[in-house]
Amino acid sequence: MKGWSGRLMWIDLTRREAKVVNYPAEWALMYVGGRGLAARILWEYLKPGADPLGPDNLLVLAVGPLSGLPGPSTGKVQVAAKSPLTGGYGDGNVGTMLSNEMRKAGLDAIVFSGASDKPVTAVIDGSKAFFEPADDLWGLDTWTTEEKLRKRYGRFAGIVEIGPAGENLVRFATIISQEGRSGGRPGIGAVMGSKRLKAVVIRGNEKTDLYDQKDYLVQATKALVEIKGRPGYPFWMRQGTMATVDWAQETSVLPTYNFSEGVFDGFKGIDGFTMESMKVEQRGCPNCNMNCGNVVLDAMGVKSELDYENVALLGSNLGIDHLADVAMINRLADQMGMDTESLGTTLSWAIEASQVGLLKNYVDKSLEWGDTKGLFEVAGQIAKRSTGLGDLLAESSSGACRKVGGCEFSMDVKGLGVSAYDCHAAPGMALAFATSPIGAHHKDAWVISWEVQHDRFAYSKEKAAKVIELQRIRGMFESFTTCRLPWVEVGLSLDHYPLLLYYSTGVEYTWDDLYAIADRTYALIRAIWIREKGGWSRDYDMPPAKWFKRPLTKGPLAGAHLDYDKYNVLLDYYYELRGWDRNGVPTKKTLHRLGLDFLIPELDKYVTLS
Ligand code: PTT
Ligand code: SF4
């Protein structure tokens, strides 16, 4: 094989054993890598019904045939497992040197099974692995952990780690690298914590064997040059994803007060221009010429790396209008290793829940919008589960509301907190959240920018088709395991990708082939969900109730809300276009068309396949 190594490393943490094995070449061709490969591994080897925080869960780190090579923003690694937050398939994408080092170690994936009895760091050196005691690191924040490991293993080692949130099994703990890179929103950091795996360090020294090294480099250089020449590039370099704050305000989708409104009076205090005036540093993932990690000093004078999602969900959504304050909570999330987005949706739920008296057993007085100091303290309690309130909220809004009530204003889908786009007036984006393969993440279909320009209030078949088109393209970036922002944000032509894949692997994929691979991966992931949930119904594919029941009261779209019956029609269109039945289950015909017949006998146990 070229472009892929065809090898993965199995690490049994219970026995502290590692072995490198070949995986079927067909998997590389059928799923490309990253998410697709991880999903195939989980389908094959995850024990159905495994406790996500028990030793039977599998933690997969995977790359694709473009990851870690010179080229457009390739320094990413996919992290996947059964999610302790949703109980279904979960993954995330993290920018890290691990990407380059996994390629150099000749590994397309690393699969961790079992659980160590003591805190441990897995150190992979080429095809060998050994285990360093991590008692001295356990309890440390992610920044200190990585700094210590870098001193031991060098500046260029691939390193990812968890913080106290992962150790304390916070259900939205993530895996962190390079201080401000975070991956695995559905609690993949808690899976790592449950295995007492504090960190993974990789060094490799092989050169990845490509099908045509020379033409690969020519094509990669063309793509990098094109990125820099795009008209949007200079402004991107100034604001990165932070430019979205003003746009979200203009289009009434800026999440405000737990997604009750789409506009925020204090938006100027947290927007991209404010960030520019405070910027002290610009960082990025490895192999990227679009460095979007904008760093400011927070209210305590500590560096904090900002992105739109973080700022909207910890800013307007909590009623905080000073960027330095938002940056403080954001920085704590990075140090503790927890997802800023679910932290935001959980804190905003807690404010609302406390104000209607649901948290009387946990707080003396209700939590308040805009109370940075109070919310910062609660965030720390969540990471450490150090108080009754922190312990409750470490279950996320979806878990907490099952204990104390208030699920009607928990802003989640399938348990995962909604990313930062209010959908009272955006049915297509609501559909994208509701059908995302990991729960309400925008990563798979950011249809909102198209939707606000195209018949925004329509529940049309065209809109369902657009959601699927974007899920296909964006889904493939998860499997290439490269950053999608060169395409999304500065408009790098998608034509580069089949060429890069060809020069890397020798396989001539067209975008139509890649669409089919994305569909296959979606159907496979849905099969994992069905197996884990023991069945399926369309209720799982519904957006949060608030968008239907509580209209916007402010801004130009006051009065707007989603329509329940029309949403169901939109969902029917979506299922029909995907070749899934009325309950959202892929039909036998679809499974056959996608080369997934092997799923049928297992799925037959849980659902009636049509
Ligand atoms: C991603 C999600 C996002 S998406 C953001 S901001 W965004 C939040 N960032 C967090 C953070 O930071 N710290 C923290 N403790 N938690 C955070 N949670 C949130 O995680 C990120 C970039 C961004 S910034 C985006 S849009 C793009 N996302 C990509 C993606 O999903 N796939 C892909 N192939 N390429 C992508 N490129 C961009 O990557 P998750 P990162 Mg991420 C501080 O993790 O679980 O996928 O959720 O990876 O290296 O931090 O880069 O406005
Ligand atoms: Fe990382 Fe940003 Fe570059 Fe993407 S554009 S690879 S998120 S620095």
Side-chain angles (χ1 to χ4, degrees), residues 232-539:
Y233 183 78
F235 191 60
W236 169 262
M237 291 305 282
R238 282 171 49 192
Q239 295 203 356
T241 59
M242 285 293 293
T244 312
V245 175
D246 285 354
W247 172 84
Q249 172 78 7
E250 272 161 35
T251 52
S252 295
V253 302
L254 185 66
T256 302
Y257 304 124
N258 195 28
F259 289 85
S260 295
E261 307 294 347
V263 290
F264 180 51
D265 290 342
F267 78 99
K268 284 229 160 292
I270 58 167
D271 75 357
F273 292 99
T274 301
M275 182 280 295
E276 277 194 72
S277 71
M278 295 166 64
K279 199 195 293 198
V280 293
E281 197 180 318
Q282 191 149 354
R283 301 177 185 153
C285 308
N287 322 332
C288 180
N289 64 353
M290 289 178 51
N291 293 338
C292 67
N294 289 303
V295 181
V296 302
L297 294 183
D298 71 18
M300 292 166 81
V302 185
K303 284 181 181 175
S304 175
E305 190 176 322
L306 299 175
D307 271 304
Y308 166 71
E309 308 289 333
N310 309 338
V311 168
L313 288 166
L314 298 173
S316 50
N317 195 46
L318 301 180
I320 300 177
D321 58 6
H322 285 289
L323 196 58
D325 288 347
V326 178
M328 200 167 78
I329 306 180
N330 174 71
R331 183 258 303 166
L332 185 71
D334 284 345
Q335 289 176 318
M336 296 294 119
M338 55 186 167
D339 172 33
T340 49
E341 300 195 50
S342 284
L343 179 64
T345 51
T346 297
L347 288 173
S348 63
W349 172 85
I351 297 171
E352 205 170 336
S354 75
Q355 294 188 349
V356 295
L358 293 175
L359 298 183
K360 279 197 183 118
N361 292 339
Y362 298 88
V363 284
D364 298 333
K365 59 183 177 66
S366 61
L367 304 173
E368 296 297 334
W369 301 113
D371 173 15
T372 310
K373 191 167 166 286
L375 295 170
F376 180 78
E377 272 168 24
V378 176
Q381 293 164 12
I382 292 173
K384 296 189 172 162
R385 289 188 183 262
S386 57
T387 58
L389 181 67
D391 193 38
L392 176 77
L393 299 181
E395 297 296 303
S396 88
S397 67
S398 52
C401 80
R402 286 198 293 274
K403 290 192 179 161
V404 301
C407 286
E408 64 282 14
F409 47 84
S410 169
M411 299 307 294
D412 71 273
V413 174
K414 301 182 180 73
L416 181 69
V418 176
S419 303
Y421 305 93
D422 185 84
C423 293
H424 279 91
M429 191 65 211
L431 177 71
F433 279 138
T435 57
S436 149
I438 60 168
H441 200 317
H442 68 293
K443 67 160 64 193
D444 274 80
W446 193 65
V447 73
I448 189 93
S449 66
W450 176 89
E451 182 167 38
V452 296
Q453 296 169 44
H454 293 85
D455 208 357
R456 176 167 187 167
F457 297 98
Y459 294 74
S460 60
K461 198 166 190 172
E462 184 200 8
K463 203 170 262 190
K466 189 71 188 174
V467 169
I468 293 174
E469 180 195 329
L470 289 178
Q471 287 179 337
R472 284 173 171 153
I473 301 172
R474 296 168 79 99
M476 277 320 297
F477 279 95
E478 302 313 308
S479 294
F480 301 155
T481 318
T482 66
C483 180
R484 61 166 187 267
L485 297 187
W487 161 64
V488 177
E489 299 290 354
V490 302
L492 175 70
S493 167
L494 285 174
D495 293 344
H496 288 284
Y497 290 91
L499 289 166
L500 289 168
L501 284 171
Y502 175 65
Y503 296 129
S504 171
T505 65
V507 181
E508 289 185 74
Y509 292 112
T510 63
W511 265 105
D512 281 344
D513 300 329
L514 297 172
Y515 277 12
I517 291 170
D519 287 353
R520 179 177 300 130
T521 304
Y522 258 60
L524 176 62
I525 290 177
R526 182 132 296 208
I528 296 174
W529 275 95
I530 293 169
R531 191 172 67 174
E532 293 308 320
K533 295 287 175 187
W536 199 254
S537 95
R538 56 194 286 136
D539 292 346

Side-chain angles (χ1 to χ4, degrees), residues 31-43:
Y31 305 97
V32 174
R35 170 188 274 174
L37 180 60
R40 189 68 179 87
I41 290 169
L42 288 173
W43 175 263

